[in-house]
Amino acid sequence: MNRVIFIMGVSGSGKSTIGELLAKDLDIPFFDGDYFHSESNVAKMSSGQPLNDKDRKGWLETLNNLAKRQLTKNSCIIACSALKQKYRDKLSRNIVNESKWVYLSGSFEQIFERVNKRSNHFMPSELLKSQFDILENPIEAIQIDISLSLENIIKKIKSNLMNTSEFGLFGLGVMGKSLCRNLVNNGFKISMFNRHVNDLEEDVATNFKAQFMELSNAIAFDNISAFVNSIQQPRRIMLMVNAGKTIDDVIEDLLPHLSENDILIDGGNSNYKKTKERYEYLKTKSIHFIGAGVSGGEEGALKGPSIMPSGDIEIYKKVKLYLETISAKDKNNLPCCTYVGPEGSGHFIKMVHNGIEYVEMQLLAEVATILEALGQNPDEIANTLESWKDEVGSYLLDITTSIFRKKESNEWLVNKILDKAGNKGTGNWTTIASAELGVPSTLVASALFTRYMSFYKKERLQLNKSFKKGNYVELKITPRELFEAYQFARIINHYQGFKLIAEASKSYDWNMNLSEVARIWTAGCIIKSKLMEDLVETFKKTSNLLSNKKIINVINQYKPSTKVVVLQSILNNISTPALSEAIQFFNGITTAYSSANVIQAQRDYFGAHTYQRLGDTSKKNYHTNWK
Ligand code: 6PG
């Protein structure tokens, strides 16, 4: 493919010298942009006046035409200061994919000294300063430090031009591997890296490449420097490593090999506060950072996950093509990947996604427990869940149905699994974030604490023996009532999850679009469902889903069943924390005069914390001597 290589930088950075040398080396024509000015521009410059945007317009068009003409025959090199992004946009108009940028970068002092030394005449510092003033660092360029020797500069540019990988994937665990295959299946040229750990992780990338035909064009590495050097600048490298300290370690390992303006994308389940810290830290190193929540597990990563990226919008644009192409597509064939907002907002919504996921899972576990108490065996439970499929349309319902069908040596597998639920922290963080932001996300807390409770297996066994559970009554719950309670609780779960996002967006000034968040969760991710599809429309009109007429009707219709299910469960000693909490929360949030008046009086009694009075609009604080 023919390419035009634009060499840019302030005057004195060495564009012509380097352009000529490189052109000779590559055996392609070189054009010095300075020779393509109109007569009027030349006259203006000769009289010592700087050119303005208007003067440059025609000149940039001339160079763009030259590049286009050249491309029909051959590659070429054009040297041009191209200090502003809009100049560069003009130069590469209609030839963006064929344009390569080389930016000769140096400090003001360095270039000033160099120009004066070289040309033996004094260059006015104001002139150079005016160039630095308007210089907008290009993101899309091979960055060259002009203090390198000419030989090394040419070598570096050439090796970069030869690099064919446009995307790097760091960390070949289950998710990383699936994303690699997804990227290559979408036609991207990638480099893949996995570390070398003696006896544990040896030749992981090479073996992975050998395993799949489709990876024949991908390049495999276990050497960081070679991996980084194989990727076109500015580099786009996605990290798929364990969240937590590993991310920081990997960043430190990568930093010495990266160049200014390279972009790191963290695709793990990282804590959103850490993402902000990393974003800020990397800014000091001139490296860009995108925190991207990725949902969908191994299969999603391979066939199209839901991706939740955040950071600087301009940087997102540089990775958008890759992330949006590999993501799942919604019912209108739009990517389930969109720019979420600044700093850690992408990881924040991924965290809330997981909080919603915890509750959806817990609700299904409770539903199954009740069905079992009603006398259904796992196959029958699966049948009941399957009969809800059309109305619920949820991934988690589908997999739970399959789980209850699965047999091992003619016995249901689900009944052989130790009842201790693990977690990797996102439900914990959602609960903490809710508490910090003052948002009552009671369901995720309840789902989380139920997982924690499951861990007390030994104590549960002891207490089960110590406490008699009393008389059982006949469990009177119909499958329809259970279905309605489940759907009721799901609405409350989604209300709480989106409320948390809305409040965080307000507090942190993230300006998030709830409808878009719901939309990118309609395919590819773990919590995709029919309800999520409805919410895309709901959130176009309101940020409070409980104010939506259709939802109000469903809640009113399903509440009686929810009461029956929770009451009957309590009477039969069946633990249903999430279903119970859903109705408790609903009763609380719809109570006009709550019991908080008593709390306020108690606080004032023992601590003189004061209280306000109903009807007093001055918001005056009262204190009473209660004794
Ligand atoms: C997803 C999942 C994924 C993962 C969670 C499980 O969206 O693809 O949420 O991120 O399965 O980390 O979390 P726990 O281990 O905490 O249940």
Side-chain angles (χ1 to χ4, degrees):
M1 179 174 109
N2 287 345
R3 288 186 292 191
V4 50
I5 302 158
F6 289 105
I7 306 213
M8 59 154 294
V10 297
S11 59
S13 56
K15 299 186 291 291
S16 309
T17 316
I18 291 163
E20 265 169 26
L21 274 176
L22 184 66
K24 216 165 159 196
D25 201 302
L26 297 175
D27 197 19
I28 54 175
F30 169 70
F31 302 96
D32 192 332
D34 281 350
Y35 297 127
F36 289 81
H37 276 291
S38 64
E39 275 178 27
S40 55
N41 276 2
V42 175
K44 196 168 178 183
M45 286 187 290
S46 315
S47 71
Q49 293 177 59
L51 299 180
N52 58 32
D53 285 2
K54 218 165 132 204
D55 301 324
R56 286 190 172 102
K57 188 168 175 276
W59 173 58
L60 295 169
E61 279 164 9
T62 306
L63 292 178
N64 173 249
N65 285 331
L66 166 72
K68 284 195 281 203
R69 255 195 333 271
Q70 259 311 119
L71 280 170
T72 61
K73 308 178 242 169
N74 195 356
S75 293
C76 71
I77 296 175
I78 299 179
C80 172
S81 52
L83 301 175
K84 291 187 187 177
Q85 185 57 43
K86 63 178 180 188
Y87 300 165
R88 297 190 283 272
D89 291 343
K90 280 217 171 74
L91 285 167
S92 59
R93 212 170 144 234
N94 295 329
I95 48 167
V96 173
N97 291 336
E98 292 91 334
S99 301
K100 272 275 159 204
W101 291 90
V102 175
Y103 168 41
L104 303 180
S105 131
S107 69
F108 173 82
E109 292 72 24
Q110 195 180 14
I111 295 179
F112 187 58
E113 196 193 310
R114 182 183 278 218
V115 170
N116 286 328
K117 230 191 252 168
R118 237 194 251 161
S119 55
N120 243 357
H121 77 85
F122 181 74
M123 180 189 196
S125 63
E126 303 81 59
L127 200 81
L128 188 61
K129 192 173 170 301
S130 73
Q131 297 218 335
F132 269 94
D133 285 346
I134 63 163
L135 172 67
E136 293 163 6
N137 277 354
I139 295 168
E140 202 65 42
I142 300 167
Q143 178 133 350
I144 298 293
D145 177 350
I146 59 161
S147 52
L148 294 174
S149 68
L150 275 179
E151 196 192 348
N152 278 342
I153 288 181
I154 300 297
K155 230 195 232 165
K156 194 162 174 203
I157 298 176
K158 269 177 56 187
S159 88
N160 256 294
L161 289 172
M162 263 149 39
N163 290 342
T164 45
S165 289
E166 44 195 328
F167 201 91
L169 205 306
F170 189 111
L172 300 177
V174 170
M175 293 290 282
K177 280 181 173 166
S178 295
L179 286 176
C180 283
R181 292 177 61 201
N182 188 343
L183 281 156
V184 297
N185 287 336
N186 276 293
F188 296 120
K189 184 80 203 296
I190 64 164
S191 290
M192 316 180 291
F193 172 89
N194 199 84
R195 65 181 177 174
H196 174 95
V197 182
N198 279 344
D199 298 332
L200 285 173
E201 293 176 51
E202 292 186 352
D203 301 322
V204 175
T206 321
N207 291 339
F208 171 51
K209 178 179 154 87
Q211 204 185 339
F212 295 96
M213 269 291 286
E214 71 237 50
L215 294 172
S216 57
N217 276 328
I219 328 176
F221 296 94
D222 63 4
N223 174 295
I224 291 201
S225 159
F227 164 71
V228 172
N229 283 324
S230 72
I231 306 166
Q232 290 168 15
Q233 279 185 33
R235 303 184 180 90
R236 300 161 176 91
I237 299 176
M238 188 157 186
L239 313 178
M240 292 307 295
V241 297
N242 287 338
K245 196 176 164 291
T246 312
I247 293 277
D248 295 308
D249 294 345
V250 162
I251 288 175
E252 289 309 319
D253 289 347
L254 277 166
L255 268 174
H257 308 284
L258 298 176
S259 310
E260 217 171 291
N261 279 324
D262 284 351
I263 305 166
L264 295 183
I265 307 164
D266 173 10
N269 272 331
S270 289
N271 185 298
Y272 71 100
K273 289 186 178 173
K274 282 276 169 203
T275 299
K276 182 169 191 261
E277 279 173 31
R278 289 169 187 142
Y279 163 90
E280 276 157 7
Y281 168 66
L282 284 168
K283 202 166 219 161
T284 66
K285 311 269 175 196
S286 301
I287 302 295
H288 304 289
F289 193 57
I290 296 278
V294 177
S295 175
E298 185 178 359
E299 198 183 318
L302 179 63
K303 296 185 181 154
S306 165
I307 309 182
M308 302 147 233
S310 64
D312 292 342
I313 179 82
E314 287 309 315
I315 303 305
Y316 174 66
K317 288 181 190 160
K318 307 285 168 202
V319 298
K320 178 182 156 111
L321 172 71
Y322 304 91
L323 300 186
E324 295 194 1
T325 304
I326 62 168
S327 74
K329 303 295 172 288
D330 71 8
K331 63 175 186 197
N332 298 316
N333 209 24
L334 293 172
C336 286
C337 170
T338 191
Y339 173 72
V340 173
E343 19 159 298
S345 54
H347 278 137
F348 185 91
I349 67 159
K350 175 64 200 334
M351 173 194 81
V352 179
H353 166 286
N354 282 24
I356 295 174
E357 171 186 300
Y358 274 43
V359 179
E360 294 288 290
M361 292 164 75
Q362 176 62 28
L363 286 171
L364 282 162
E366 292 176 19
V367 160
T369 307
I370 293 171
L371 288 172
E372 193 186 5
L374 284 168
Q376 296 194 357
N377 67 31
D379 254 343
E380 289 162 337
I381 293 175
N383 291 343
T384 306
L385 298 183
E386 193 156 22
S387 70
W388 300 352
K389 185 181 168 76
D390 288 346
E391 266 177 280
V392 180
S394 122
Y395 169 78
L396 282 170
L397 180 83
D398 290 350
I399 64 157
T400 311
T401 306
S402 307
I403 287 168
F404 276 92
R405 292 216 190 286
K406 182 80 181 166
K407 280 191 171 171
E408 204 186 61
S409 329
N410 233 6
E411 283 172 78
W412 283 292
L413 175 59
V414 69
N415 290 343
K416 295 185 185 180
I417 297 178
L418 177 67
D419 54 335
K420 278 178 165 186
N423 79 90
K424 292 208 195 78
T426 43
N428 178 353
W429 298 339
T430 316
T431 308
I432 292 172
S434 304
E436 281 177 353
L437 288 161
V439 184
S441 309
T442 54
L443 279 173
V444 66
S446 136
L448 174 76
F449 295 150
T450 307
R451 286 196 191 187
Y452 290 172
M453 206 191 314
S454 75
F455 251 79
Y456 288 74
K457 176 77 181 174
K458 219 166 138 199
E459 186 166 342
R460 283 193 285 119
L461 283 171
Q462 276 163 5
L463 295 177
N464 179 268
K465 278 193 196 129
S466 325
F467 289 92
K468 289 213 168 64
K469 287 210 167 172
N471 294 331
Y472 285 84
V473 295
E474 191 197 343
L475 184 59
K476 284 195 207 126
I477 299 173
T478 66
R480 182 67 202 175
E481 282 167 337
L482 189 54
F483 168 80
E484 292 183 356
Y486 166 62
Q487 288 287 69
F488 177 97
R490 292 187 61 227
I491 293 174
I492 303 299
N493 178 28
H494 286 72
Y495 165 82
Q496 290 189 349
F498 279 92
K499 179 86 177 165
L500 179 56
I501 295 175
E503 293 294 334
S505 182
K506 242 191 269 163
S507 294
Y508 299 128
D509 242 347
W510 282 341
N511 198 19
M512 285 195 276
N513 179 332
L514 295 187
S515 170
E516 273 295 281
V517 172
R519 191 188 64 72
I520 62 171
W521 288 348
T522 58
C525 74
I526 305 292
I527 58 171
K528 63 183 178 186
S529 72
K530 271 208 166 128
L531 174 58
M532 199 63 84
E533 299 259 356
D534 291 344
L535 295 183
V536 179
E537 293 312 311
T538 308
F539 286 128
K540 282 184 182 159
K541 297 181 198 98
T542 175
S543 62
N544 181 343
L545 70 86
L546 287 181
S547 69
N548 175 277
K549 255 205 176 125
K550 198 173 142 197
I551 289 184
I552 293 174
N553 284 339
V554 176
I555 286 282
N556 285 334
Q557 203 187 327
Y558 290 177
K559 191 180 173 192
S561 294
T562 315
K563 285 189 198 173
V564 170
V565 169
V566 171
L567 262 174
Q568 285 286 316
S569 299
I570 291 172
L571 288 174
N572 279 280
N573 305 311
I574 301 171
S575 173
T576 54
L579 284 165
S580 311
E581 187 46 51
I583 195 144
Q584 288 295 353
F585 177 83
F586 182 74
N587 285 340
I589 201 82
T590 53
T591 297
Y593 190 53
S594 73
S595 55
N597 56 332
V598 182
I599 308 290
Q600 283 299 78
Q602 290 164 333
R603 292 177 68 242
D604 189 52
Y605 190 113
F606 63 68
H609 294 299
T610 74
Y611 58 90
Q612 289 172 357
R613 282 178 188 261
L614 279 175
D616 183 348
T617 49
S618 71
K619 297 205 170 146
K620 190 177 145 196
N621 290 322
Y622 293 85
H623 170 58
T624 296
N625 184 358
W626 294 89
K627 285 182 198 151

